[in-house]
Amino acid sequence: MERIVVKFGGSSLADAGQFQKVKAIVKADPRRRIVVVSAPGKRHPDDEKITDLLYRCHKLAVAGGDFSGPLTAIRERFAAIATTLKINSPVPSALDELSARLTGGCNADFAASRGEYCCALLMAAYLNAEMIDPSHSIAIGGDGGVLPETYETLGRLLADPAKTYVMAGFYGYDGTDGQRAVKTFSRGGSDISGAIAARAAGAALYENWTDTSGILMVDPRLVYDPKVISEISFHEVREMAYMGASVFHDEAILPVREAGIPIRIKNTNRPQDAGTLITPQLSADALARTEIAGIAGKQGFSMISVAKTMLHHQAGIVHTLLGVLLRHGISFEHCPSSIDSISVIMETEQLKGREDVVVAGIRRAIEPDSLVVEHNLALLAVVGEGMSSTPGIAGKVFTALGKSGVNIRVINQGASEINIIIGVAAADYEKAVQEIYLAFVG
Ligand code: ASP
């Protein structure tokens, strides 16, 4: 039988009621055999996540202070779940051990990992499943990514198709030193753990359960009640994430993408909703249905433009220009050019405190006729694989912007024709996104 890895985020595990929903979801499909859990998250906006409480304990312990306040809050949260659900909880002794380790000077990663560890212990007891502690099987490298030996080790631990497993998310061990100390991924990293488990187990699908019914076509702060994307490719979702859409942990895509395993984003509170399917290859249906997948964007960019007659005849001019940026450790986003001019767009943050030296360096290196620096730019990306085969998409975008009086500062379309990047003044950003959304969705 094919298996599905189901990963539940913090809000899906925040209290006993959420645990009950998780159980119902797992039991509703016998293929859901591998459950990956985050630590319990916020129950209401003013609440504190278990992971944040754990970091607080560690900080207090390092300062030689009393960490019993946040530790008691953690104990109470787990106890409330166990009592309501009548689980014989192994969590109190795990937290006693944490308390001793905090006093003994454990590292922050170990402390933070205990949220997922305790949650997995409790969920495994609740589901009558086998608990998997990834502190011996998921090897994390110096760059924070997963090391390849993980897949075989973890695959062996998850091998029995008849069993249900509950694995703690967010951490593994430091694969770069012999001590094999507990090491966490970056914040929100349980998404990565779920993807690793899916690949290690050869799962048919990776379901990522959260508190929204999928990926939205556009930021809901800019457009009221935007449509959910029903199907999106890995390639498109990377573009959306890079351009600021809050999809899910960017790095979580890589392990499943390499293995060709699709991801479905689902809502724990509305399991009946279809959610969003992220797939290696869009179905013919999806390609026919959607001209674009979505619109994403970011503010806070600057553009340095240089102009010089016959610029394009000067060999290595782009190399020289980017070389100046490289010397200052500045990476750029786009580099549009015309016959006599080149522009480079970068995050304004990267120019802070050194704009003058960078500009002087460019002037020296290129001796341009003119050099202009513009700030307060926003970039937005209209993303969609359908673009390359559908004429008129760019026309639709530019007509919408033209009609609404938005001045386009930059246009860039990558060779893969999966997105159109448009630069506008920051003040026009919201309007630009809204107009483009309206042009495609109505
Ligand atoms: N609990 C961790 C965090 O809050 C990891 C996760 O939830 O994915 O960042």
Side-chain angles (χ1 to χ4, degrees):
M1 184 179 62
E2 347 182 279
R3 291 188 293 170
I4 298 175
V5 166
V6 282
K7 180 262 165 180
F8 291 92
S11 61
S12 301
L13 298 155
D15 59 22
Q18 295 302 86
F19 263 58
Q20 284 169 321
K21 289 180 193 169
V22 167
K23 186 174 194 169
I25 289 165
V26 172
K27 299 290 174 204
D29 188 332
R31 296 173 302 165
R32 292 182 177 136
R33 290 288 173 175
I34 300 163
V35 182
V36 178
V37 292
S38 284
K42 293 183 180 193
R43 293 159 294 182
H44 47 80
D46 303 327
D47 205 5
E48 212 172 344
K49 291 179 173 187
I50 292 282
T51 309
D52 292 327
L53 287 164
L54 287 161
Y55 279 121
R56 210 138 67 75
C57 287
H58 183 260
K59 213 168 157 192
L60 288 166
V62 168
D66 174 15
F67 53 82
S68 63
L71 188 60
T72 304
I74 296 167
R75 282 189 195 281
E76 285 172 359
R77 294 240 358 226
F78 281 112
I81 299 171
T83 310
T84 310
L85 301 177
K86 301 187 173 50
I87 307 168
N88 186 7
S89 176
V91 171
S93 55
L95 292 178
D96 289 344
E97 194 206 326
L98 168 65
S99 178
R101 296 278 301 262
L102 282 167
T103 309
C106 69
N107 66 17
D109 283 19
F110 176 81
S113 73
R114 296 305 89 181
E116 272 71 13
Y117 176 74
C118 291
C119 189
L121 281 176
L122 202 54
M123 184 59 80
Y126 184 45
L127 297 179
N128 208 1
E130 183 175 320
M131 144 82 174
I132 304 282
D133 172 5
S135 63
H136 300 291
S137 48
I138 295 188
I140 302 179
D143 62 353
V146 64
L147 295 177
E149 58 263 36
T150 297
Y151 296 113
E152 208 195 310
T153 324
L154 187 60
R156 263 188 269 118
L157 291 178
L158 298 171
D160 189 345
K163 276 190 182 167
T164 300
Y165 300 96
V166 175
M167 185 181 98
F170 190 36
Y171 70 93
Y173 68 89
D174 187 344
T176 62
D177 83 343
Q179 302 292 319
R180 296 194 157 205
V182 164
K183 182 171 164 118
T184 61
F185 290 112
S186 51
R187 290 303 301 265
S190 299
D191 281 344
I192 309 175
S193 310
I196 293 167
R199 173 150 170 201
L205 177 66
Y206 170 28
E207 285 181 348
N208 192 289
W209 291 80
T210 171
D211 54 7
T212 54
S213 290
I215 302 173
L216 300 172
M217 274 189 78
V218 65
D219 184 342
R221 287 168 301 186
L222 303 181
V223 170
Y224 175 71
D225 197 17
K227 267 191 161 173
V228 170
I229 301 171
S230 58
E231 195 177 321
I232 185 167
S233 70
F234 281 119
H235 200 165
E236 289 171 333
V237 92
R238 289 252 322 142
E239 296 281 350
M240 296 275 295
Y242 182 70
M243 282 303 285
S246 61
V247 277
F248 76 125
H249 207 301
D250 202 17
E251 292 162 54
I253 294 170
L254 293 177
V256 277
R257 180 181 182 162
E258 283 161 9
I261 301 168
I263 307 170
R264 191 175 278 285
I265 311 281
K266 294 276 289 176
N267 188 344
T268 304
N269 306 316
R270 291 186 55 86
Q272 67 278 17
D273 290 352
T276 298
L277 183 70
I278 308 175
T279 125
Q281 200 92 51
L282 285 180
S283 65
D285 253 14
L287 270 173
R289 205 169 41 233
T290 47
E291 292 178 297
I292 64 165
I295 307 154
K298 286 202 268 195
Q299 312 240 28
F301 291 97
S302 296
M303 178 160 74
I304 302 179
S305 303
V306 292
K308 187 175 182 178
T309 312
M310 305 295 280
L311 188 77
H312 68 295
H313 278 315
Q314 215 169 312
I317 190 84
V318 177
H319 179 92
T320 309
L321 176 56
L322 298 183
V324 176
L325 299 184
L326 177 66
R327 277 198 292 286
H328 290 92
I330 295 174
S331 61
F332 72 99
E333 300 289 319
H334 300 282
C335 185
S337 66
S338 67
I339 306 177
D340 290 334
S341 72
I342 310 175
S343 301
V344 201
I345 301 171
M346 71 281 291
E347 287 168 352
T348 306
E349 199 53 42
Q350 298 209 48
L351 279 181
K352 283 239 169 86
R354 49 190 171 170
E355 185 178 323
D356 290 349
V357 266
V358 172
V359 166
I362 295 174
R363 281 193 200 284
R364 260 198 315 275
I366 295 182
E367 298 180 339
D369 299 338
S370 73
L371 186 155
V372 180
V373 185
E374 286 173 74
H375 297 300
N376 294 321
L377 278 180
L379 290 180
L380 55 100
V382 184
V383 178
E385 289 203 1
M387 267 180 203
S388 52
S389 53
T390 319
I393 295 201
K396 215 161 158 175
V397 171
F398 300 132
T399 308
L401 294 179
K403 268 197 201 147
S404 59
V406 171
N407 184 30
I408 301 173
R409 292 290 303 111
V410 183
I411 301 167
N412 200 8
Q413 182 168 36
S416 64
E417 281 195 54
I418 189 180
N419 63 17
I420 301 171
I421 305 281
I422 298 155
V424 298
D428 283 339
Y429 173 66
E430 279 195 36
K431 193 170 178 194
V433 172
Q434 288 157 353
E435 294 297 337
I436 298 171
Y437 181 80
L438 271 178
F440 286 93
V441 181

